[in-house]
Amino acid sequence: MHCTRLRCLRCDATYPVRFDAYLCPRCGPGDSGSDPGILDVEYDEPAVARAWERRDPALRGRNDVFRYLPLLPLESPEELLPAGGTPLLPAPRLAARLGLGTLYVKDETRNPTRCLKDRATAVAVALAAAAGKSDLYCASPGNAAISLAGFCAHRGLACHVFVPRDASPERLAWLERFGADVKLCEGSYDQAYSEAEQAGRENGWYSRNCAFNPYLVEGKKTAALEIAEQLAGRLPDLVVSPVGDGCTLAALGKGFREAVRIGLADRMPRLLGVQSDAVQPLVKRFAGESPSESGRTRAVSIRVQRPRNAIRLLREIEASRGTMVAVSDEAIEAAREQLSAEAGVVAEFTGAAALAGLAALARREPLAGASAVVVVTGGREEA
Ligand SMILES: *Cc1c(COP(=O)(O)O)cnc(C)c1O
Ligand SMILES: [Zn+2]
């Protein structure tokens, strides 16, 4: 393993790499007015580059997240549902519609539970299994919970999920199928998150709350490493993803930076983060404005009023000279129809937000001839 230490993104303190590391003890979880002390995993970069070059044929032949073992906080692969290895589809009809040179869809709907979340879950379950933990937990409006429930079902681990009471019947049915212990929480995802954190602490369960568990972003970054390999190192001008807590797009940024360092890619793409215009705290914060009241949106997977990985996300967006946009539910619905009718990809509502965001950017600045990857983060259809 090539992790050297953990660094707090808020106060810059460093800590040793330990399996049970969580938030920065100095900064803690923060409150409504301040960011949590999220830890970032640092690596011995020359050692990672060497290990990548010399990785054994068994790893080279894999196409799940463990392909990137030298860049993960894990000693060895575990037998899990296969997360990652998703296709990067050219979408020429959508490219023409937006006036782009090339457009690809990174189709994360092909993951075992139909969502990019499986990449983080794989790392969480691998760490928990290696440490002999029998119980895992998370808070989620749906996808992270379903992902954890599926991976736990496969391994025979106990899965405790905290979901807002207004989670859709379809999502609850998936949790039931996987045999999860479901706690319905009053109020929003943000409240479910607090309840989950408390129960996890009291019971000694292992956390699959991305952001707070510093190791999970490492799983999500494998999507970027795959894109770099799939494009033979020629990264596009833009990479677009929906943003809730900020972990997913920040992880893509980290993955692209690492891809450049180990020689898998030539340059960083600009990151474009997309939120719903009804719940857009990170769009506002990026623009230096104060957050607005939240409204209603069908983009439930990014309906996060208090994003936990804001510092990480904003740094990655700035480092990439990227930006953030907000889109309406009508625009997301239109993008969802275009994704299926013109690219053959069925996205969940939130998953289509990336395409809607790219269309919004194309109206704001000239993108003629540009290249882009739209990450379709999830594809479980909802009524
Ligand atoms: C979780 C999720 C996101 C956003 O990820 P964050 O890490 O919370 O920013 C986007 N799309 C889908 C489908 C998701 O499930
Ligand atoms: Zn700190």
XYZ file of all heavy atoms in Angstrom, residues 105-175:
519
model
N -20.346 9.427 -23.293
C -21.101 9.166 -22.069
C -20.338 8.115 -21.279
O -20.078 7.019 -21.788
C -22.520 8.653 -22.398
C -23.216 8.177 -21.129
C -23.336 9.743 -23.093
N -19.946 8.449 -20.056
C -19.388 7.437 -19.159
C -20.591 6.804 -18.468
O -21.256 7.422 -17.635
C -18.442 8.088 -18.145
C -17.783 7.110 -17.165
C -16.886 6.098 -17.854
C -16.074 5.279 -16.842
N -15.507 4.052 -17.455
N -20.866 5.558 -18.867
C -22.144 4.943 -18.502
C -22.062 4.182 -17.184
O -21.929 2.963 -17.142
C -22.602 4.020 -19.630
C -23.990 3.475 -19.367
O -24.615 3.865 -18.354
O -24.453 2.635 -20.161
N -22.191 4.939 -16.104
C -22.095 4.353 -14.762
C -23.342 3.560 -14.373
O -23.388 2.950 -13.301
C -21.810 5.457 -13.744
C -20.406 6.022 -13.861
C -19.345 4.980 -13.547
O -19.425 4.341 -12.494
O -18.436 4.783 -14.383
N -24.345 3.575 -15.249
C -25.535 2.770 -14.958
C -25.225 1.278 -15.077
O -26.026 0.446 -14.694
C -26.704 3.105 -15.905
O -26.468 2.516 -17.191
C -26.876 4.603 -16.071
N -24.051 0.935 -15.619
C -23.704 -0.483 -15.799
C -23.073 -1.119 -14.568
O -22.627 -2.254 -14.610
C -22.733 -0.643 -16.967
C -23.183 0.024 -18.222
C -24.227 -0.767 -18.991
N -24.321 -0.207 -20.330
C -23.726 -0.744 -21.394
N -23.046 -1.856 -21.291
N -23.830 -0.163 -22.566
N -22.949 -0.353 -13.504
C -22.415 -0.923 -12.263
C -23.400 -1.924 -11.659
O -24.579 -1.927 -12.010
C -22.118 0.215 -11.275
C -20.764 0.857 -11.534
O -19.735 0.212 -11.395
N -20.789 2.123 -11.929
N -22.931 -2.774 -10.726
C -23.794 -3.843 -10.195
C -25.137 -3.345 -9.649
O -26.154 -3.989 -9.879
C -22.957 -4.467 -9.081
C -21.544 -4.181 -9.468
C -21.556 -2.886 -10.217
N -25.169 -2.208 -8.955
C -26.469 -1.697 -8.488
C -26.895 -0.474 -9.306
O -27.694 0.329 -8.854
C -26.507 -1.401 -6.970
O -25.885 -0.151 -6.706
C -25.842 -2.503 -6.156
N -26.348 -0.324 -10.514
C -26.781 0.682 -11.505
C -26.312 2.100 -11.182
O -26.934 3.057 -11.610
C -28.309 0.719 -11.675
C -29.017 -0.611 -11.610
C -28.770 -1.445 -12.853
N -29.661 -2.603 -12.868
C -29.341 -3.820 -12.410
N -28.138 -4.046 -11.872
N -30.197 -4.801 -12.480
N -25.202 2.228 -10.455
C -24.837 3.561 -9.986
C -23.342 3.656 -9.705
O -22.714 2.683 -9.281
C -25.636 3.837 -8.720
S -25.442 5.473 -8.074
N -22.776 4.840 -9.932
C -21.359 5.091 -9.647
C -21.012 4.844 -8.184
O -19.859 4.531 -7.864
C -21.020 6.534 -10.048
C -19.557 6.983 -9.934
C -19.206 7.926 -11.085
C -19.269 7.682 -8.610
N -21.989 4.970 -7.300
C -21.774 4.748 -5.862
C -21.092 3.405 -5.578
O -20.413 3.252 -4.571
C -23.114 4.770 -5.111
C -23.848 6.096 -5.135
C -23.295 7.042 -4.100
C -24.157 8.262 -3.854
N -24.322 9.161 -4.988
N -21.284 2.430 -6.462
C -20.701 1.103 -6.238
C -19.181 1.153 -6.132
O -18.562 0.306 -5.482
C -21.100 0.152 -7.374
C -22.570 -0.252 -7.298
O -23.199 -0.084 -6.233
O -23.095 -0.751 -8.325
N -18.566 2.129 -6.764
C -17.094 2.225 -6.707
C -16.628 2.541 -5.287
O -15.619 1.991 -4.822
C -16.599 3.319 -7.659
C -16.885 3.033 -9.122
C -16.429 4.220 -9.977
N -16.761 4.037 -11.370
C -15.979 3.417 -12.262
N -14.805 2.940 -11.889
N -16.361 3.302 -13.515
N -17.333 3.434 -4.609
C -16.987 3.762 -3.220
C -17.366 2.613 -2.300
O -16.633 2.273 -1.366
C -17.714 5.042 -2.793
N -18.518 2.006 -2.579
C -18.954 0.882 -1.752
C -17.931 -0.247 -1.793
O -17.645 -0.878 -0.770
C -20.320 0.366 -2.250
O -21.250 1.442 -2.209
C -20.821 -0.768 -1.381
N -17.362 -0.500 -2.972
C -16.380 -1.580 -3.100
C -15.204 -1.347 -2.150
O -14.746 -2.277 -1.479
C -15.895 -1.689 -4.543
N -14.731 -0.099 -2.069
C -13.607 0.192 -1.173
C -14.038 0.040 0.286
O -13.323 -0.547 1.106
C -13.032 1.602 -1.451
C -12.038 2.008 -0.373
C -12.365 1.634 -2.825
N -15.234 0.524 0.611
C -15.720 0.413 2.000
C -15.853 -1.044 2.419
O -15.403 -1.443 3.498
C -17.067 1.121 2.151
N -16.459 -1.847 1.562
C -16.701 -3.247 1.926
C -15.376 -4.008 1.955
O -15.159 -4.865 2.822
C -17.736 -3.891 0.984
C -17.910 -5.372 1.278
C -19.089 -3.177 1.119
N -14.457 -3.679 1.059
C -13.140 -4.332 1.085
C -12.406 -4.009 2.387
O -11.831 -4.895 3.023
C -12.306 -3.894 -0.122
N -12.445 -2.741 2.804
C -11.776 -2.356 4.052
C -12.442 -3.024 5.255
O -11.766 -3.526 6.151
C -11.819 -0.827 4.224
C -10.809 -0.049 3.383
C -11.171 1.429 3.335
C -9.401 -0.219 3.955
N -13.769 -3.032 5.257
C -14.493 -3.626 6.383
C -14.217 -5.130 6.452
O -13.952 -5.673 7.532
C -15.994 -3.357 6.243
N -14.245 -5.783 5.294
C -14.023 -7.231 5.268
C -12.598 -7.556 5.731
O -12.396 -8.466 6.543
C -14.271 -7.774 3.860
N -11.628 -6.765 5.248
C -10.235 -7.022 5.637
C -10.050 -6.845 7.142
O -9.213 -7.502 7.757
C -9.298 -6.099 4.864
N -10.842 -5.964 7.757
C -10.701 -5.713 9.196
C -11.635 -6.596 10.021
O -11.718 -6.443 11.242
C -10.977 -4.237 9.484
N -12.350 -7.486 9.372
C -13.237 -8.381 10.105
C -14.492 -7.730 10.653
O -15.113 -8.241 11.586
N -14.886 -6.597 10.084
C -16.126 -5.938 10.530
C -17.339 -6.674 9.964
O -17.317 -7.102 8.813
C -16.145 -4.489 10.029
C -15.190 -3.589 10.761
C -15.870 -3.049 11.993
C -14.984 -2.073 12.758
N -15.659 -1.598 13.965
N -18.397 -6.756 10.733
C -19.572 -7.496 10.261
C -20.741 -6.584 9.907
O -21.693 -7.012 9.264
C -20.035 -8.468 11.340
O -20.331 -7.730 12.524
N -20.679 -5.308 10.326
C -21.801 -4.393 10.126
C -21.325 -3.106 9.461
O -20.329 -2.529 9.895
C -22.445 -3.996 11.459
C -23.173 -5.145 12.137
O -22.489 -6.121 12.524
O -24.410 -5.064 12.279
N -22.064 -2.644 8.458
C -21.774 -1.356 7.837
C -23.024 -0.495 7.857
O -24.141 -1.008 7.957
C -21.309 -1.540 6.391
C -19.911 -2.145 6.212
C -19.998 -3.649 6.044
C -19.207 -1.523 5.020
N -22.819 0.817 7.732
C -23.983 1.709 7.721
C -23.747 2.864 6.759
O -22.603 3.182 6.427
C -24.269 2.266 9.122
C -23.312 3.350 9.567
C -23.638 4.705 9.417
C -22.073 3.029 10.122
C -22.755 5.701 9.817
C -21.191 4.014 10.518
C -21.537 5.353 10.371
O -20.652 6.335 10.753
N -24.853 3.490 6.342
C -24.739 4.762 5.636
C -26.055 5.513 5.697
O -27.093 4.945 6.030
C -24.291 4.579 4.184
S -25.575 4.025 3.065
N -25.972 6.803 5.395
C -27.156 7.641 5.224
C -27.258 7.948 3.752
O -26.239 8.160 3.095
C -26.999 8.948 5.996
N -28.473 7.986 3.226
C -28.580 8.160 1.790
C -30.011 8.423 1.374
O -30.931 7.848 1.933
C -28.071 6.869 1.132
O -28.572 6.725 -0.169
N -30.186 9.285 0.355
C -31.529 9.393 -0.226
C -31.868 8.162 -1.056
O -32.970 8.047 -1.558
C -31.441 10.641 -1.105
C -30.010 10.972 -1.241
C -29.215 10.175 -0.260
N -30.954 7.240 -1.228
C -31.283 6.016 -1.958
C -30.103 5.262 -2.517
O -29.854 4.128 -2.147
N -29.349 5.900 -3.417
C -28.368 5.134 -4.178
C -27.235 4.543 -3.341
O -26.867 3.388 -3.536
C -27.787 5.998 -5.292
C -28.751 6.138 -6.446
O -29.631 5.309 -6.626
N -28.602 7.197 -7.230
N -26.673 5.331 -2.425
C -25.568 4.794 -1.624
C -26.081 3.645 -0.759
O -25.399 2.635 -0.566
C -24.949 5.885 -0.759
N -27.304 3.799 -0.251
C -27.893 2.756 0.598
C -28.122 1.475 -0.200
O -27.775 0.378 0.243
C -29.214 3.260 1.189
N -28.677 1.619 -1.399
C -28.941 0.441 -2.235
C -27.625 -0.222 -2.618
O -27.491 -1.453 -2.602
C -29.762 0.848 -3.479
C -31.177 1.255 -3.050
C -29.805 -0.284 -4.502
C -31.976 1.970 -4.136
N -26.630 0.592 -2.939
C -25.324 0.067 -3.301
C -24.735 -0.734 -2.145
O -24.309 -1.889 -2.301
C -24.407 1.236 -3.684
O -23.098 0.787 -3.913
N -24.747 -0.138 -0.966
C -24.198 -0.835 0.202
C -24.985 -2.113 0.475
O -24.396 -3.169 0.760
C -24.229 0.091 1.429
C -23.628 -0.509 2.709
C -22.150 -0.862 2.516
C -23.780 0.470 3.882
N -26.294 -2.027 0.366
C -27.136 -3.198 0.644
C -26.805 -4.345 -0.317
O -26.719 -5.508 0.094
C -28.610 -2.814 0.535
N -26.594 -4.034 -1.583
C -26.276 -5.069 -2.563
C -24.928 -5.728 -2.280
O -24.804 -6.951 -2.279
N -23.921 -4.907 -2.004
C -22.586 -5.457 -1.742
C -22.573 -6.263 -0.444
O -21.890 -7.282 -0.341
C -21.535 -4.334 -1.724
C -21.083 -3.929 -3.104
C -21.954 -3.293 -3.980
C -19.795 -4.192 -3.553
C -21.554 -2.929 -5.260
C -19.377 -3.840 -4.829
C -20.254 -3.206 -5.686
N -23.332 -5.802 0.560
C -23.406 -6.541 1.838
C -24.157 -7.851 1.644
O -23.790 -8.877 2.221
C -24.072 -5.698 2.916
S -23.000 -4.405 3.559
N -25.207 -7.833 0.827
C -25.964 -9.066 0.565
C -25.024 -10.113 -0.029
O -25.002 -11.271 0.394
C -27.115 -8.775 -0.391
N -24.211 -9.667 -0.976
C -23.301 -10.591 -1.650
C -22.270 -11.189 -0.690
O -21.915 -12.359 -0.786
C -22.616 -9.845 -2.807
C -21.527 -10.607 -3.471
N -20.203 -10.275 -3.345
C -21.565 -11.696 -4.274
C -19.465 -11.118 -4.036
N -20.264 -11.991 -4.607
N -21.796 -10.390 0.264
C -20.766 -10.848 1.200
C -21.335 -11.412 2.507
O -20.581 -11.865 3.355
C -19.832 -9.678 1.561
C -18.824 -9.330 0.500
C -17.752 -10.379 0.311
N -17.001 -10.650 1.523
C -15.670 -10.745 1.583
N -14.950 -10.555 0.501
N -15.052 -11.026 2.721
N -22.647 -11.301 2.697
C -23.228 -11.768 3.955
C -22.905 -10.871 5.130
O -22.717 -11.335 6.252
N -22.828 -9.555 4.879
C -22.577 -8.590 5.946
C -23.881 -7.887 6.312
O -24.780 -7.786 5.482
C -21.548 -7.552 5.484
C -20.170 -8.115 5.127
C -19.336 -7.076 4.377
C -19.442 -8.578 6.394
N -23.959 -7.391 7.539
C -25.158 -6.649 7.954
C -25.067 -5.214 7.453
O -24.010 -4.588 7.527
C -25.298 -6.673 9.473
N -26.199 -4.708 6.964
C -26.215 -3.385 6.332
C -27.311 -2.545 6.970
O -28.489 -2.901 6.907
C -26.487 -3.569 4.846
S -26.829 -2.046 3.982
N -26.924 -1.423 7.597
C -27.885 -0.535 8.261
C -27.949 0.763 7.470
O -26.938 1.454 7.342
C -27.449 -0.251 9.693
C -27.090 -1.498 10.449
N -28.031 -2.300 11.063
C -25.898 -2.107 10.655
C -27.421 -3.337 11.625
N -26.127 -3.248 11.393
N -29.119 1.081 6.943
C -29.214 2.287 6.111
C -30.239 3.257 6.668
O -31.307 2.865 7.136
C -29.535 1.936 4.637
C -28.400 1.118 4.038
C -30.844 1.191 4.500
N -29.885 4.528 6.624
C -30.725 5.607 7.148
C -31.202 6.426 5.963
O -30.405 7.109 5.311
C -29.908 6.455 8.127
C -29.512 5.676 9.359
C -28.484 4.732 9.297
C -30.174 5.860 10.555
C -28.138 3.984 10.414
C -29.834 5.115 11.679
C -28.816 4.177 11.619
N -32.485 6.303 5.669
C -33.008 6.996 4.491
C -34.158 7.913 4.906
O -34.898 7.607 5.830
C -33.489 6.002 3.397
C -32.332 5.149 2.879
C -34.579 5.098 3.913
N -34.279 9.045 4.202
C -35.388 9.948 4.520
C -36.720 9.244 4.250
O -36.824 8.439 3.323
C -35.197 11.123 3.558
C -33.858 10.956 2.941
C -33.433 9.544 3.107
N -37.714 9.554 5.066
C -39.016 8.902 4.960
C -39.643 9.100 3.576
O -40.433 8.273 3.127
C -39.953 9.473 6.046
C -41.218 8.688 6.262
C -41.965 9.139 7.514
N -41.363 8.638 8.741
C -41.516 7.393 9.198
N -42.241 6.531 8.541
N -40.939 7.013 10.310
N -39.274 10.181 2.882
C -39.872 10.416 1.564
C -39.135 9.685 0.424
O -39.393 9.950 -0.747
C -39.994 11.919 1.271
C -38.636 12.588 1.056
O -37.586 11.919 1.168
O -38.618 13.800 0.780
N -38.243 8.759 0.768
C -37.590 7.959 -0.286
C -38.678 7.247 -1.091
O -39.697 6.834 -0.542
C -36.629 6.947 0.328
N -38.440 7.085 -2.400
C -39.489 6.541 -3.257
C -39.723 5.064 -2.951
O -38.824 4.361 -2.492
C -39.088 6.705 -4.723
O -38.024 5.818 -5.020
N -40.938 4.568 -3.207
C -41.234 3.145 -3.001
C -40.298 2.242 -3.797
O -39.918 1.169 -3.329
C -42.677 3.000 -3.511
C -43.237 4.377 -3.532
C -42.106 5.325 -3.682
N -39.879 2.701 -4.997
C -38.958 1.893 -5.799
C -37.637 1.707 -5.060
O -37.073 0.614 -5.032
C -38.675 2.555 -7.152
C -39.840 2.579 -8.122
C -40.803 3.741 -7.862
O -40.539 4.558 -6.941
O -41.820 3.837 -8.575
N -37.138 2.783 -4.474
C -35.859 2.692 -3.763
C -35.997 1.805 -2.526
O -35.123 0.989 -2.234
C -35.365 4.089 -3.398
C -34.936 4.841 -4.650
C -34.332 6.211 -4.395
N -33.734 6.691 -5.653
C -32.742 7.554 -5.744
N -32.216 8.069 -4.662
N -32.264 7.912 -6.907
N -37.095 1.968 -1.810
C -37.305 1.131 -0.613
C -37.423 -0.346 -0.997
O -36.937 -1.222 -0.285
C -38.540 1.606 0.158
C -38.381 3.018 0.763
C -39.698 3.501 1.374
C -37.269 3.045 1.810
N -38.034 -0.605 -2.154
C -38.179 -1.992 -2.597
C -36.809 -2.620 -2.891
O -36.569 -3.786 -2.576
C -39.074 -2.066 -3.833
N -35.918 -1.842 -3.470
C -34.561 -2.364 -3.718
C -33.872 -2.708 -2.400
O -33.219 -3.748 -2.285
C -33.709 -1.344 -4.481
C -33.884 -1.421 -5.970
C -34.941 -0.936 -6.679
C -32.998 -2.022 -6.913
N -34.757 -1.191 -8.015
C -33.580 -1.852 -8.193
C -31.773 -2.668 -6.811
C -32.970 -2.328 -9.351
C -31.164 -3.138 -7.966
C -31.759 -2.962 -9.225
N -34.022 -1.831 -1.410
C -33.379 -2.089 -0.112
C -33.934 -3.361 0.507
O -33.205 -4.155 1.099
C -33.606 -0.887 0.825
C -32.848 0.369 0.394
C -33.297 1.578 1.198
C -31.334 0.147 0.566
